[in-house]
Amino acid sequence: MVRLLLPALLSLTLAACAPSEAPRIGDYRSVGELRVATRHDAISYRIGDDGRASGFEHDLLLALGDTLGVPVRFVPYPDAARALDAVITGQVHMAAAGLGRNERLPLSWSQSLREVEYVIVGRSGGRAVSTEKDLAGRTISVRRGTLPAEKVSEIRKRVPGVNVHFPIRGAEERLLADLAQGGLDLVATDRLHFAFGARIHPELEIVHELPGRSGIAWALPQGGGALATEIEAFLGEMNASGRLARIADRYFGHVRRLDDADVATFLSRIRERLPRYRDFFHEAEALTGLDWRYIAAVAYQESHWDPQATSFTGVRGMMMLTGDTADRLGVENRLDARQSILGGARYLDMLRQQLPEDLPEPDRTWMATAAYNLGMGHMKGARAIARGLGKDDRSWWDMKSVLPLLSRPQYAQRLKAGPARGGEAVVMTENVRSFHDILMRLEKPYEPALALPRLKLGHAD
């Protein structure tokens, strides 16, 4: 790892003699902001279709900025090595880029945010890798400056013939996509990034586990200083309060819910069924303001995009509406795809509006989704039970541990609407989250200016 950083560090040292070099950044209080080196990544820091930044570490750092009383300025770098260089040379206050702790670098590290394991990923049906020796003659692609890169370099020392490829600007998401398409031989990454990649590329599989575990942490200048002390106190409070677990759940608590068969079926339905109904989902977004891909995810969970779907309980159609709900929404024919989609979207939006105004997103939408399955009466009852148990009824993280209690007699007796299968509502909502994430990566956002003219009310198959 040190050897990988030497060229970059040497160039920066030489550049220090040049008068054009930016001065070392001062204390965050004197600068008036916390400057953080990061990189674009599906987990830590990403930019959405609306241009807004989000991500596990992004949200955690915004909370840190609130605690410190300063805004956070994110400075993206092409890779982890250059983000770390920025800390070493004093151009930023810290780095947060899905970094594995590496004590051999001239840096200080925060406590771990989450634990990770590293793996080598290949394509299903490829040449088997039973031991390290089977990697001879193979080419492993990996991001430069990362712990997986260091582990792969160590394998190359032990196994002659192992080739290591460092792609330029190659984030894990891009590397795994290239691997799935046959452009790369093998990719070294961590289990969580593999899980994200396998959701849209089920042909990927782990072929070899790299030794050891690591903790993802924030990198600080050597010695740490006052900022390191403040970060330790902040992370300690975040752990104790459960806020760290809630933020983690928001971004990847649902990632491993779908198995390979579920993903493969969903991807085939995206190709075969979704095109027939995409315009109706676009119209539903225009009507409600809900992301059309989220509405489509709910519809898939309900019926697998089958407009003729019927349940033994009497719910029917693409959005599986009850007769009473359809009547209230003015849906004349539940088996008409367009009517069902527009009606179901309106119902989901109505449930969102019925929840308290101070309930934040995305928890608000997830609770509305559970209420789509349970009914708002049961959701209100579950929130009251959560408060009685000392849990946060505004947090989906807490509520998904409370909802399964609705089927137990000691809790069901408190509900005006009687017992409910709250566990099913949790599974439904978590599946919708997964389907929505996949659609977000594969389908474009709705753009009204480019949309087809609004369709007239009519029947669809």
Side-chain angles (χ1 to χ4, degrees):
M1 177 71 175
V2 173
R3 184 169 59 187
L4 295 173
L5 284 172
L6 282 177
L9 291 175
L10 179 59
S11 64
L12 286 166
T13 302
L14 293 174
C17 302
S20 61
E21 190 214 78
R24 294 179 68 88
I25 193 170
D27 177 81
Y28 74 84
R29 291 184 181 85
S30 62
V31 176
E33 64 181 16
L34 182 66
R35 201 167 297 175
V36 180
T38 189
R39 65 181 181 86
H40 293 287
D41 176 75
I43 295 173
S44 299
Y45 178 83
R46 62 198 189 199
I47 304 297
D49 297 326
D50 57 2
R52 295 181 181 178
S54 62
F56 170 61
E57 291 183 67
H58 170 273
D59 289 9
L60 196 54
L61 284 159
L62 290 186
L64 172 62
D66 288 342
T67 298
L68 299 178
V70 295
V72 179
R73 178 183 171 191
F74 294 92
V75 185
Y77 285 83
D79 52 46
R82 273 172 273 197
L84 292 171
D85 286 345
V87 179
I88 294 170
T89 57
Q91 304 308 304
V92 295
H93 296 112
M94 58 184 291
L99 304 168
R101 294 176 63 99
N102 193 327
E103 306 295 347
R104 284 181 277 184
L105 296 176
L107 293 162
S108 292
W109 295 90
S110 73
Q111 62 181 267
S112 295
L113 309 178
R114 58 185 179 87
E115 295 297 312
V116 291
E117 297 174 335
Y118 299 109
V119 295
I120 295 177
V121 181
R123 291 183 300 280
S124 300
R127 187 152 45 110
V129 179
S130 300
T131 67
E132 282 188 357
K133 293 181 179 179
D134 295 324
L135 294 170
R138 307 294 296 272
T139 298
I140 305 172
S141 299
V142 62
R143 286 192 300 108
R144 186 181 296 277
T146 62
L147 279 178
E150 185 171 324
K151 292 177 180 293
V152 169
S153 296
E154 292 170 354
I155 291 177
R156 182 168 56 180
K157 294 176 184 178
R158 297 191 294 269
V159 183
V162 172
N163 303 304
V164 182
H165 168 229
F166 298 108
I168 299 175
R169 300 178 183 272
E172 271 89 351
E173 188 174 11
R174 180 69 262 164
L175 295 184
L176 291 170
D178 289 345
L179 173 62
Q181 295 164 9
L184 298 176
D185 183 16
L186 299 170
V187 168
T189 184
D190 62 77
R191 283 189 182 275
L192 187 55
H193 275 98
F194 162 73
F196 266 89
R199 288 191 305 168
I200 57 174
H201 303 295
E203 63 270 36
L204 298 179
E205 65 177 11
I206 295 172
V207 298
H208 186 70
E209 297 185 359
L210 293 169
R213 296 168 60 91
S214 181
I216 297 299
W218 291 338
L220 297 139
Q222 199 164 30
L227 178 58
T229 302
E230 291 171 313
I231 286 176
E232 288 307 293
F234 165 76
L235 291 177
E237 189 279 329
M238 292 292 284
N239 267 308
S241 67
R243 288 183 67 193
L244 182 62
R246 293 187 186 104
I247 295 174
D249 177 73
R250 174 172 296 182
Y251 287 100
F252 39 82
H254 59 294
V255 171
R256 296 184 176 91
R257 286 202 78 88
L258 304 179
D259 60 27
D260 291 345
D262 292 331
V263 172
T265 300
F266 183 51
L267 294 176
S268 69
R269 298 282 163 79
I270 290 174
R271 294 189 298 270
E272 298 163 5
R273 294 187 180 180
L274 181 58
R276 280 178 270 172
Y277 309 113
R278 190 180 283 113
D279 288 341
F280 300 152
F281 288 122
H282 287 175
E283 190 177 353
E285 177 174 339
L287 180 68
T288 64
L290 295 171
D291 188 317
W292 77 268
R293 294 163 293 190
Y294 196 87
I295 300 168
V298 173
Y300 183 82
Q301 172 64 26
E302 291 295 288
S303 68
H304 279 210
W305 297 326
D306 177 5
Q308 303 299 311
T310 301
S311 165
F312 70 93
T313 60
V315 294
R316 307 182 75 187
M318 180 80 78
M319 300 294 282
M320 296 298 269
L321 300 173
T322 66
D324 288 344
T325 300
D327 290 342
R328 290 192 347 245
L329 294 167
V331 175
E332 297 177 357
N333 181 2
R334 287 182 287 166
L335 300 184
D336 178 87
R338 177 173 176 265
Q339 289 188 44
S340 182
I341 290 169
L342 297 184
R346 284 180 54 215
Y347 181 50
L348 181 61
D349 189 46
M350 287 168 54
L351 293 168
R352 283 181 68 253
Q353 301 306 321
Q354 291 173 30
L355 290 165
E357 292 183 2
D358 65 346
L359 206 160
E361 288 289 3
D363 302 63
R364 184 188 192 88
T365 295
W366 296 339
M367 287 191 205
T369 304
Y372 191 99
N373 177 276
L374 283 173
M376 186 53 71
H378 280 117
M379 176 56 69
K380 289 180 178 178
R383 296 185 70 228
I385 290 172
R387 293 192 294 272
L389 294 173
K391 294 182 178 291
D392 184 357
D393 69 328
R394 300 169 66 253
S395 164
W396 174 247
W397 166 256
D398 282 27
M399 288 304 300
K400 70 181 183 179
S401 67
V402 172
L403 286 169
L405 302 178
L406 301 187
S407 63
R408 299 185 184 179
Q410 64 267 41
Y411 295 101
Q413 64 184 0
R414 309 181 197 178
L415 303 171
K416 293 181 180 179
R421 294 190 291 270
E424 290 184 8
V426 172
V427 172
M428 178 254 194
T429 304
E430 296 291 275
N431 285 348
V432 168
R433 291 176 63 187
S434 291
F435 294 137
H436 178 229
D437 281 354
I438 294 171
L439 287 171
M440 289 278 285
R441 296 170 68 182
L442 296 178
E443 293 287 329
K444 296 179 180 179
Y446 171 55
E447 300 180 45
L450 301 179
L452 295 173
R454 187 179 180 86
L455 299 172
K456 295 182 180 180
L457 185 63
H459 296 277
D461 58 352

